[in-house]
Amino acid sequence: MAELTYREAIARGIAQEMRRDGNVLFLGEDVAAAGGVFKGTTGLLDEFGPVRVRDTPISEQAILGAAMGAAMTGLRPIAEIMFSDFFAVCWDIVVNEIAKSRYMTNGQVSFPLVIRAGNGGGLRFGAQHSQSVENWAMAVPGLKVVVPSTPADVIGLMAAAVRDPDPVLFLEEKALYPTKGEVPDGEVVDTLGRARVLRSGAHATLVALGNMVPRATAAAEQLGAGGIDCTVIDVRSLVPLDTHTILAEVARTGRMFTVEENPRLCGWGAELVSIVVEESFFDLDGAPVRITTPHIPLPAADALEDLAIPSVERIVTTVEKAMNQ
Amino acid sequence: MDAACHIGGRRLALYDQQIRLRYFEKRAYDLFLENLVKGTSHLSLGQEAIAGAFGVAMRHDDYTFATYRGHAHTLARGVPMAPVLAELLGRENGLMAGKGGSMHLTSVEHGVMGSYAIIGAHLPIACGAAWSAQYRGSGQVAVAFFGDGTTNIGAFHEALNFAAIWRLPVVFVCENNLYMEYTRTSTVTAVPRPAADRASAYGLEPVLADGNDADEMYAVATAALDRARAGEGPTLIEALTYRHGGHSRADPAKYRPPAEVDEWLARDPIPMYRKRLVDAGVDAAALDAIEKTAMEDVDAATEEAKAGAAPGADLLFRDVWADGGSSWRN
Ligand SMILES: Cc1ncc(C[n+]2csc(CCOP(=O)(O)OP(=O)(O)O)c2C)c(N)n1
Ligand SMILES: [Mg+2]
């Protein structure tokens, strides 16, 4: 066991896969010589050299097009899009080309590639560098979407994503880069499509993703002290989605609260609520409740951004209010 | 096809390519009129010398990236006619079992890595295949075909710069048929030669070719492929040509001046090439035989395509993922 930051886990996860497989290449803006704008890829150029770790021009379509063309011809590229907001300038390659081509060609091509991107708010960067775009990605058939919340998950899910034969969007939570966690020694390999029950309670289930996971956990501690005993689930993977684990916990506790950083409309929690209501309605003791960022662009000022993104306090008061009704 | 075949053989191959593309697409057009081709379709009638010449010049394992106007580029790599026609008809025996349609023809076993219907998208993707070939040291070249209007979208410029800085083995082939869908490209473009005039911005030599001359296209294609294989990087070719019909099946192309159309019809690449071969002493009977075989193949492909069943419902949920399925949850 070693303690690593989420940021350090990125380079470790990529390096683990690049050592194992010479067909894994890595490209993006400022990723090689500079080690990444978030310093998440420091050391990769030194270890793997400039042929496998490549700086690109500011050309997001070219970055993802290159990854796609390489993946369909035998390689396993990892591409970085610096901020997930920038998907908006290369979304065509992601949704029209990468996501659909396997289906359209009747299975003639596969896209074993990973697209990493810094996602989410908390850094006071304003509306164009802070979005949580997981709900954009989840809406597209043909994309797998994972969002790790701990350093160990960064490494394990990165390994699973690189080894997966399908395209995976790997959203790294920018607010979590400095956070620390224990990481097992040796190779760490996880599985896509498995949620994790972090804490088991009797009264309610809080379902959270990414940066909302530590907040939901902290809220559960406070709620427990007040007599509301909560399960906390880290969804980890939106596609494939581990409905099994979530439905089981919701059925056991009778209540579900989603904690989502994405803006409200069509957030991942809305899909979960619909699944729970359709499939587990008679296990519910009350209406499912979504705790989300409001449907607004994110403001820059710390005071405003803190009001927008679900906080520990907002989670606690929302759950208390709903449970005491 | 074997680029090393002797000149006579090569010229017959170039004629054969063009004839097959022409006959196939004329048949495809007839089948729309019979309402058997559903959806849309974009023909390369008049532009066959370009796809045909590349088909002869490319190595069997090179990569083609085509557009929605990609029937010719697909067939030129040796993909049989019947599955292509069946794909246009939406049949189970189609090249992609009816899941892609006319605009997305793909045959990986023939190096046809896809036909892309979002303007410019395949140029960066071709760069990726070229990057892969470069990394693997395979000597393969990626060739991306696109139109004049495509030179004004961002992906074109991103791909050109990317290919140039990484010296990628990729050939960009702009088929300048003067029009986008219905607008003359020169009226919305800052330079007179939409591709050639942009080459210098990416450190490339401008290459302008007569896209209606199969010999010239073959020479230009071979030079670009050789350069790519030698590690000297990308080439951007602008091939001047003209489509005989409208942009797509629904378009009568009324926006083109009749004199212009007549002028280009007089420069139809196929009769011009036939005349050149006969003038050079090629036996007309050999050319007749090529035409006859091509027509027989089109007839047989038509029967085979029409005989195909509608795709079964099981195909609907197949091949979203590499495991063959479409499941997004457990
Ligand atoms: C991004 C995008 N914008 C617009 C279109 C619609 N569209 C399809 S073909 C076409 C014209 C393309 O012209 P050109 O590049 O000259 O190719 P040509 O059709 O002449 O072969 C347009 C505008 C599209 N498919 N994709
Ligand atoms: Mg055009």
Side-chain angles (χ1 to χ4, degrees):
Chain A
M1 283 284 188
E3 188 168 75
L4 284 188
T5 60
Y6 189 98
R7 180 195 319 281
E8 289 162 342
I10 310 281
R12 167 134 167 225
I14 295 172
Q16 173 185 299
E17 294 309 297
M18 291 189 74
R19 265 175 226 137
R20 184 184 60 80
D21 183 349
N23 283 334
V24 179
L25 308 184
F26 176 48
L27 78 168
E29 294 162 19
D30 302 306
V31 299
V37 292
F38 300 111
K39 294 283 170 269
T41 56
T42 306
L44 294 176
L45 175 65
D46 288 343
E47 181 171 354
F48 300 103
V51 172
R52 293 182 67 196
V53 178
R54 297 195 79 158
D55 281 323
T56 68
I58 307 164
S59 300
E60 278 75 10
Q61 295 184 75
I63 293 168
L64 295 190
M68 174 175 174
M72 71 201 288
T73 54
L75 303 184
R76 289 186 173 262
I78 303 173
E80 175 175 317
I81 295 297
M82 195 184 280
F83 285 75
S84 63
D85 313 69
F86 308 163
F87 275 128
V89 302
C90 52
W91 203 226
D92 168 56
I93 304 284
V94 180
V95 312
N96 283 320
E97 318 303 340
I98 291 172
K100 295 184 171 66
S101 291
R102 181 177 176 80
Y103 186 83
M104 291 196 299
T105 63
N106 198 29
Q108 289 185 56
V109 278
S110 291
F111 300 97
L113 60 84
V114 178
I115 306 172
R116 305 173 38 230
N119 187 57
L123 275 63
R124 299 27 175 135
F125 283 171
Q128 296 179 347
H129 287 72
S130 305
Q131 291 170 86
S132 291
V133 306
E134 53 271 18
N135 53 334
W136 302 1
M138 193 185 181
V140 181
L143 298 178
K144 293 181 176 173
V145 187
V146 302
V147 189
S149 73
T150 66
D153 277 2
V154 165
I155 301 171
L157 291 174
M158 176 65 73
V162 170
R163 297 176 195 198
D164 197 86
D166 293 311
V168 180
L169 260 57
F170 190 91
L171 300 176
E172 296 162 12
E173 301 282 77
K174 296 198 293 289
L176 295 178
Y177 279 134
T179 60
K180 290 185 176 160
E182 293 289 330
V183 173
D185 297 329
E187 198 180 66
V188 183
V189 186
D190 209 322
T191 309
L192 301 184
R194 297 267 169 82
R196 180 176 290 137
V197 179
L198 298 177
R199 185 181 195 286
S200 188
H203 302 135
T205 298
L206 311 186
V207 189
L209 182 77
N211 185 29
M212 296 297 99
V213 172
R215 295 186 187 195
T217 304
E221 301 288 329
Q222 288 187 30
L223 287 160
I228 302 175
D229 189 16
C230 293
T231 286
V232 176
I233 297 179
D234 181 351
V235 182
R236 305 200 313 148
S237 169
L238 290 174
V239 183
L241 184 63
D242 184 1
T243 53
H244 232 75
T245 299
I246 297 166
L247 284 165
E249 286 301 305
V250 172
R252 196 175 59 72
T253 59
R255 294 300 300 259
M256 178 174 78
F257 297 85
T258 65
V259 190
E260 307 165 50
E261 187 172 331
N262 50 212
R264 184 159 186 100
L265 297 192
C266 305
W268 57 265
E271 186 61 46
L272 265 190
V273 169
S274 107
I275 292 169
V276 163
V277 168
E278 282 182 32
E279 301 176 27
S280 209
F281 185 72
F282 296 105
D283 296 315
L284 291 173
D285 299 324
V289 176
R290 294 179 60 210
I291 303 164
T292 76
T293 296
H295 209 62
I296 54 171
L298 271 186
D302 48 357
L304 292 174
E305 193 185 41
D306 287 345
L307 283 175
I309 298 175
S311 62
V312 175
E313 295 66 37
R314 175 138 69 98
I315 300 166
V316 169
T317 53
T318 308
V319 173
E320 278 175 347
K321 187 166 162 239
M323 295 297 287
N324 293 331
Q325 254 167 16
Chain B
M1 254 172 245
D2 183 11
C5 62
H6 63 86
I7 300 282
R10 187 182 74 224
R11 288 184 121 185
L12 289 180
L14 286 167
Y15 189 67
D16 183 52
Q17 278 276 7
Q18 295 179 84
I19 281 290
R20 295 173 68 80
L21 306 183
R22 172 70 52 97
Y23 287 1
F24 177 92
E25 286 208 308
K26 283 187 138 177
R27 178 61 50 84
Y29 188 70
D30 292 343
L31 294 172
F32 310 144
L33 298 181
E34 289 178 40
N35 208 23
L36 281 169
V37 174
K38 308 283 164 36
T40 189
S41 190
H42 308 75
L43 304 178
S44 296
L45 292 171
Q47 305 185 192
E48 297 93 340
I50 301 167
F54 269 90
V56 176
M58 287 168 78
R59 210 169 83 177
H60 73 281
D61 60 345
D62 286 340
Y63 298 123
T64 290
F65 288 82
T67 68
Y68 51 89
R69 195 183 303 289
H71 307 162
H73 309 82
T74 300
L75 294 168
R77 298 301 309 281
V79 180
M81 289 178 180
V84 176
L85 204 50
E87 187 66 29
L88 269 53
L89 267 54
R91 304 298 167 94
E92 194 173 27
N93 54 344
L95 194 58
M96 296 95 76
K99 291 174 77 175
S102 159
M103 297 205 280
H104 300 294
L105 298 175
T106 304
S107 183
V108 169
E109 64 168 306
H110 297 92
V112 182
M113 304 307 287
S115 302
Y116 297 79
I118 307 295
I119 293 296
H122 59 307
L123 276 64
I125 303 166
C127 288
W131 176 39
S132 161
Q134 183 185 62
Y135 180 72
R136 291 180 284 111
S138 67
Q140 293 161 289
V141 179
V143 182
F145 300 90
F146 53 94
D148 41 286
T150 300
T151 63
N152 288 325
I153 202 162
F156 168 86
H157 297 273
E158 290 195 15
L160 262 291
N161 183 59
F162 200 85
I165 55 166
W166 288 13
R167 289 178 86 84
L168 295 177
V170 56
V171 181
F172 299 103
V173 186
C174 175
E175 301 188 21
N176 183 358
N177 60 12
L178 306 180
Y179 291 84
M180 302 148 56
E181 289 191 49
Y182 315 124
T183 301
R184 208 178 158 85
T185 298
S186 63
T187 64
V188 294
T189 304
V191 289
R193 294 286 173 219
D197 288 347
R198 264 76 176 254
S200 67
Y202 304 106
L204 301 175
E205 292 299 321
V207 179
L208 200 60
D210 181 352
N212 282 18
D213 182 332
D215 286 330
E216 184 173 336
M217 280 315 302
Y218 178 83
V220 166
T222 303
L225 292 163
D226 288 350
R227 172 181 148 86
R229 258 188 266 285
E232 290 163 23
T235 300
L236 172 61
I237 297 168
E238 179 171 333
L240 298 173
T241 187
Y242 204 72
R243 54 171 152 78
H244 285 178
H247 165 71
S248 61
R249 65 181 300 192
D251 171 26
K254 292 276 194 263
Y255 44 86
R256 303 193 302 189
E260 177 186 284
V261 176
D262 291 344
E263 185 192 322
W264 281 95
L265 284 175
R267 298 200 63 251
D268 184 334
I270 295 177
M272 280 198 320
Y273 201 63
R274 186 182 161 105
K275 180 168 186 309
R276 184 183 300 167
L277 295 193
V278 172
D279 289 351
V282 173
D283 184 359
L287 303 177
D288 293 343
I290 284 174
E291 291 165 14
K292 182 164 175 288
T293 306
M295 190 52 80
E296 284 165 4
D297 287 354
V298 170
D299 286 339
T302 307
E303 291 317 307
E304 193 178 327
K306 279 182 172 174
D314 58 315
L315 280 167
L316 198 58
F317 295 103
R318 208 190 282 166
D319 276 319
V320 173
W321 308 122
D323 68 6
S326 63
S327 164
W328 51 270
R329 58 174 286 191
N330 58 9

